[in-house]
Amino acid sequence: MPPPFRRPPAWVADARVVVPLLLVGVFGSHRAGDAQLDAPQAMDHWGYLLVVVAVLSLLARRRAAWVTVAVNTAAVATYLAVGYPDGPVLLTVPVVAFGLAVRRPRREAVVAVGAAVAAVLAASVLRVTVHDSGGSWSDLGRAWLVWAPVTAAAFALGATARVRRESWAGMRAEQARRAASEEQLRMAQELHDVVGHGLAVIAMQAGVALHVLDREPEKARESLEAIRTMSRESLDGLRTELAQLRAGSGDAPERRPLPGLADLDLLVARIRAGGVDVRLDVAPDLATAELPTEVGAAAYRIVQESLTNVLRHADAEQASVTVRPEDGELVVTVTDRGRGGGPGGDGTGIRGMRERTAALGGTFEAAPTADGFRVVARLPLEPRTAGQVR
C-alpha cells in the first residue's frame, strides 16, 4: 500500500515558484537588455538588484502578503520608472495577484491588486514621459494589451482556487458534522435498545417476583437474580456508550463485541423466564454461515426491540421469532398474540428498527394483525447503502 500523500513544506513550495522566476528574471533581463538597445537605461547591477528584490519578495506571500505587495510593487515600479528594458520582472506581478486572490478576502485582494497595477501603470507613464523616444506610447499600449489580461487572468484563477478550497473545506466540515451526528444517533439508538430492553425485563421479573413471593420463594429468588443480572448488563452497556460519547472518536475505549444470531437463545430465555412463551426458529444453515457482522447485529437488535415491545405494549402470552435466509436476504419475523397489540403509532423503537434496516439497504414492515402484531425485516446478506434500497 503506497504511503499517504503529504504536502511538501512551505519552503519547498516557495522554492518551486521563486527559483525558476529568479533564473528567468536574471537571464531574461540580460537578454532583454541585448534586444532593447534603445531602452532609456541599460541593464546594470542596480537593475539586476531590482529584479532579484521583486522575485524574492514572493517568499513572504504566505505569511506577510501585504509586505510582498508593497516590496514587489515598489521594485517593479522603480525598475520601469528608471527606464530599464521591459522584461521578465513584470511576470512577478501576476504571481502576486494570484497569491492575493487565493489567500485574502476578495475585496481586500481587489483593492491591493488594483493599487499595484495603478502604481505600475503610473511608473510606465512616467517612463514614457521622461524618456520619450517617439514610439514609446504605442509600445506602452501594446505591452499593456498583453500584460493587463495576464494579470487579470492570474487574479481570476486565484479567486477560483480560493472558492474551490473553501467549498471543499465546507464540504469536509459538513461531512464531519454529519458523521458525528450519525454516530450520536447510533449511540442513542444503542442506549434505547439496551436500557429499554433491560428495564422491560426487570419490570417483568419484578412482577413475577411479587406475584409468587409468598407462595414460591424459590421462584421469586430466581426472578430477583435475573433482575440483578439484567441490571448489571444494562449498566455495563450504558457505561460503554456513555464512555464513547465522552471520549469522542479520537481516544474512545474499545467497544464491546456486537451481538449476533448466536446470542438470540439467551435473549429468548430471558423473555421466557418472565412467562412469555417465545418460540425461536433459526434456520439450521445460519448456525455455520458467516454473516456480515452488521447484519447479525441488526437482526439481534430487531428481535430484541420487538420482544421488548411485546413485554411493554402487547400484554402477550405467546410470541414467535423466525430467522431465515431468502433470496439473498436475511428475513427476521417476530409475531405475538397479544391482547393489546403492538406499540401505538411509529414509536422510537419501531423507528429505530426501520432506520437500522434502511442503513443496510433492506426493507421493514411493522403492523397489527388480526390477533396481535407482526414485525418483518429483510436484511441483505451483502449490505447495501440506504440509497440502493430496491
Side-chain angles (χ1 to χ4, degrees), residues 11 27 31 88 115 121 167 239 246 254 305:
W11 67 269
F27 291 104
R31 295 293 298 273
L121 176 61
S167 298
R239 290 192 191 98
R246 292 193 185 101
E254 185 177 353
E305 180 59 29

Side-chain angles (χ1 to χ4, degrees), residues 29-68:
S29 297
H30 177 73
R31 295 293 298 273
D34 293 340
Q36 300 176 40
L37 296 177
D38 58 345
Q41 176 65 44
M43 286 298 296
D44 55 20
H45 62 281
W46 293 110
Y48 289 115
L49 178 61
L50 288 172
V51 172
V52 171
V53 170
V55 174
L56 292 183
S57 66
L58 300 176
L59 292 173
R61 70 188 189 279
R62 298 177 187 273
R63 295 166 295 278
W66 302 119
V67 173
T68 294

Side-chain angles (χ1 to χ4, degrees), residues 180-196 232-249 251-259 297 301 304 356:
S181 177
E182 290 175 354
E183 179 65 8
Q184 290 174 350
L185 288 175
R186 186 200 63 77
M187 290 181 179
Q189 187 61 47
E190 287 291 325
L191 284 174
H192 173 272
D193 291 348
V194 172
V195 177
R232 184 181 298 113
E233 293 180 3
S234 297
L235 287 173
D236 288 343
L238 179 61
R239 290 192 191 98
T240 299
E241 295 301 328
L242 289 179
Q244 291 283 333
L245 287 170
R246 292 193 185 101
S249 59
D251 54 352
E254 185 177 353
R255 187 178 298 278
R256 295 185 305 171
L258 292 174
R301 292 302 189 196
Q304 180 187 57
R356 283 184 187 277

Side-chain angles (χ1 to χ4, degrees), residues 76-84 122-124 126-127 130-131:
V76 174
T78 302
Y79 180 95
L80 294 176
V82 169
Y84 289 112
S124 301
L126 179 62
R127 170 197 177 114
V130 174
H131 308 288

Side-chain angles (χ1 to χ4, degrees), residues 10-28:
W11 67 269
V12 174
D14 290 338
R16 291 175 179 175
V17 175
V18 171
V19 171
L21 273 177
L22 190 59
L23 294 175
V24 171
V26 172
F27 291 104

